[in-house]
């Protein structure tokens, strides 16, 4: 069964994208359109390529593979164009992802902000550390599972986040990440978002139970198999 393409990223468009095996400068993400096993496992495939080879029209298929009949709408991505934006991200503040003293200071600051300004005040986790949506590089979000060690199965090297995919580009807890053109500046939280589903969920995809799909790569050897994690 042909795999369904989810995304492709060129290093020329995203300077922070890691280099692939043999200097590959294009990474593509696919998934099987069906689930597998009693736990309804979703299977993904990461392919590294040389961009110059993929842009040779002579190599294109005359007839693209047909997408099979799918059970759920969110299993088929909505075609869209990426507009990358470079932002600074910071580690998830839990367990030993940051020094305990710094996490305590963050917690105290959030409590003080909430007491003074109410529940819609900005928070470190939602508004300052890691943006929602699709991300290349940076730090993983551990909202569902808590921090986990992710080591390479081939050489035991701690792996780095290659990319993360999320169904929603914005939500009620991430007001600060909503683009100015997509929100009402007089409102906060989910009420401020304008544009409907096409803005909030442009790709139409969902991962797990609305979790983030994290793809980790080995920094010692990009040829080592990637690891997938829903968190």
């Amino acid at each position: 069964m042909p795999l369904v393409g989810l995304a492709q990223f060129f290093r020329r468009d995203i300077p922070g994208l890691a280099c692939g095996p043999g200097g590959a400068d294009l990474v593509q993400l696919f998934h099987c359109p069906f689930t597998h096993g009693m736990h309804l496992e979703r299977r993904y495939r990461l392919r590294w390529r040389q961009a110059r080879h993929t842009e040779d029209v002579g190599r294109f298929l005359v007839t693209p593979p047909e997408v099979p009949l799918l059970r759920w709408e969110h299993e088929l991505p909505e075609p869209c164009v990426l507009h990358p934006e470079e932002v600074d991200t910071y580690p998830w503040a839990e367990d030993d992802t940051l020094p305990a003293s710094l996490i305590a200071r963050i917690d105290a600051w959030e409590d003080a902000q909430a007491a003074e300004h109410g529940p819609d005040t900005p928070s470190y986790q939602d508004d300052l550390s890691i943006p929602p949506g699709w991300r290349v590089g940076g730090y993983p979000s551990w909202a569902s599972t808590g921090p986990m060690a992710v080591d390479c199965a081939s050489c035991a090297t701690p792996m780095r986040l290659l990319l993360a995919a999320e169904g929603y580009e914005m939500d009620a807890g991430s007001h600060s990440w909503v683009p100015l053109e997509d929100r009402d500046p007089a409102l906060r939280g989910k009420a401020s978002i304008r544009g409907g589903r096409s803005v909030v969920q442009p790709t139409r995809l969902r991962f797990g139970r609305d979790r983030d799909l994290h793809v980790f790569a080995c920094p010692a050897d990009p040829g080592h198999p990637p690891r997938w994690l829903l968190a």
Side-chain angles (χ1 to χ4, degrees):
M1 180 63 64
L3 298 175
V4 175
L6 300 184
Q8 67 175 8
F9 301 94
F10 293 86
R11 290 195 72 212
R12 65 173 181 244
D13 298 326
I14 306 176
L17 180 63
C19 188
D25 56 353
L26 166 64
V27 64
Q28 298 171 322
L29 177 65
F30 300 87
H31 78 160
C32 177
F34 300 108
T35 54
H36 299 263
M38 62 180 296
H39 299 296
L40 303 180
E41 175 189 357
R42 177 71 72 191
R43 296 180 180 175
Y44 299 94
R45 179 76 59 83
L46 196 72
R47 292 292 301 271
W48 286 97
R49 302 179 187 274
Q50 299 286 348
R52 65 178 184 276
H53 294 160
T54 65
E55 294 168 338
D56 180 1
V57 178
R59 297 169 62 92
F60 291 172
L61 294 176
V62 176
T63 304
E66 293 186 4
V67 177
L69 181 63
L70 300 176
R71 184 177 181 182
W72 305 107
E73 183 183 39
H74 65 260
E75 294 173 338
L76 182 67
E78 179 74 25
C80 56
V81 177
L82 298 172
H83 299 280
E85 180 180 1
E86 189 172 2
V87 298
D88 292 326
T89 62
Y90 300 92
W92 187 261
E94 186 178 355
D95 294 346
D96 59 353
T97 58
L98 287 171
S101 59
L102 182 53
I103 293 179
R105 290 175 58 192
I106 291 172
D107 291 341
W109 174 79
E110 290 184 335
D111 291 342
Q113 291 290 309
E116 182 176 354
H117 302 291
D120 284 336
T121 190
S123 67
Y124 174 81
Q125 303 285 46
D126 291 331
D127 294 281
L128 302 177
S129 62
I130 301 171
W134 290 66
R135 310 181 299 277
V136 172
Y139 295 97
S141 170
W142 300 112
S144 301
T145 63
M148 302 172 63
V150 183
D151 297 329
C152 178
S154 299
C155 67
T157 299
M159 305 185 86
R160 295 176 183 170
L161 182 66
L162 175 66
L163 63 92
E166 185 178 354
Y168 295 88
E169 291 291 313
M170 58 199 79
D171 55 44
S174 56
H175 175 83
S176 67
W177 299 106
V178 180
L180 295 178
E181 62 269 24
D182 295 325
R183 68 182 180 185
D184 183 341
L187 301 174
R188 291 197 59 80
K190 192 173 183 178
S192 71
I193 301 171
R194 298 187 295 194
R197 179 178 175 179
S198 62
V199 168
V200 177
Q201 197 179 14
T203 64
R204 191 168 54 189
L205 294 169
R206 288 174 56 194
F207 300 94
R209 295 182 178 179
D210 288 332
R211 296 184 175 183
D212 292 4
L213 171 67
H214 292 80
V215 184
F216 292 88
C218 178
D221 187 339
H224 288 169
R227 290 190 62 182
W228 318 91
L229 189 65
L230 286 170

